[in-house]
Amino acid sequence: MSPSSERSVRAVCLFCGARDGARPEYVRAAQEFGAALARAGVNLVFGGGTIGIMGAASRAAKDAGGRAIGVIPKSLLEREGGRPGEPDLHVVDTMHERKALMHELSDAFVVLPGGLGTYEEFFEILTWRQLGIHDKPIVVVDVEGYYGPLRDIVAHGVTEGFVSDTDHDLCVIVDTVDEALAVLGIAR
């Protein structure tokens, strides 16, 4: 049964980079994702910054008439280009508050390419699912093979007895934005 058949997705949290990355496909995927959510009437929840592929996704959602709800800690306002005073920007005190509010505002999670912060956000939300804190869908978009090493490390964890076969199924890894939208039951 697909995650979308169990619940309606009204808001999707996007974890991704505050940099553009080395390939233009990363920015294009973020723009495609943000615009597709807007066209489907689904809110984008994101890290609140205006830079990198995070900023590209939020601009695309807004440009397509959608809503982009940002959540950013005070300490990252300048670094990530957060704009205090924007109606859909929540400024919080800590990274823990950021992640908790993003979780609360979202019905599902999508991961696009990003760095250490993206990895940390992904693994925390995945662990929360493993522990039963939530049962919201998690979809990783392996743009241009970016998450190939992630697939390898999880498989290695299974082989070495630290990750169970059932834990392996806590998220879905797909290759394209279209596949991610389909997993979530969001019409393009």
Side-chain angles (χ1 to χ4, degrees):
M1 182 181 307
S2 75
S4 60
S5 64
E6 299 170 14
R7 73 171 57 84
S8 172
V9 176
R10 299 171 311 279
V12 175
C13 179
L14 176 63
F15 296 136
C16 63
R19 296 182 181 183
D20 288 347
R23 300 179 190 208
E25 291 86 357
Y26 302 150
V27 172
R28 280 197 293 273
Q31 291 168 330
E32 181 184 353
F33 184 72
L37 288 184
R39 286 191 298 273
V42 176
N43 294 332
L44 171 69
V45 176
F46 74 108
T50 60
I51 60 175
I53 67 173
M54 169 177 40
S58 68
R59 282 189 301 280
K62 290 176 191 176
D63 289 349
R67 186 172 177 206
I69 304 165
V71 183
I72 192 166
K74 291 175 191 170
S75 63
L76 292 180
L77 275 169
E78 187 175 321
R79 183 177 182 171
E80 292 187 355
R83 296 189 176 133
E86 284 199 17
D88 281 329
L89 182 66
H90 300 269
V91 180
V92 297
D93 289 326
T94 68
M95 290 295 285
H96 294 294
E97 289 177 73
R98 178 194 220 182
K99 292 179 287 187
L101 184 55
M102 291 170 84
H103 171 266
E104 180 183 323
L105 294 170
S106 303
D107 302 309
F109 302 90
V110 168
V111 183
L112 288 175
L116 298 176
T118 302
Y119 305 156
E120 188 271 335
E121 290 166 332
F122 164 68
F123 279 113
E124 183 165 23
I125 208 69
L126 185 66
T127 301
W128 287 5
R129 185 155 188 210
Q130 177 194 40
L131 296 174
I133 295 170
H134 75 87
D135 68 347
K136 299 174 183 180
I138 303 169
V139 182
V140 176
V141 185
D142 189 17
V143 179
E144 295 295 312
Y146 182 79
Y147 284 112
L150 173 69
R151 293 176 195 238
D152 294 342
I153 194 127
V154 171
H156 180 68
V158 171
T159 299
E160 294 299 316
F162 290 103
V163 177
S164 75
D165 288 332
T166 57
D167 291 344
H168 194 274
D169 299 330
L170 294 172
C171 73
V172 176
I173 301 176
V174 299
D175 295 322
T176 67
V177 167
D178 282 341
E179 290 173 294
L181 296 168
V183 167
L184 297 175
I186 298 172
R188 191 124 154 98

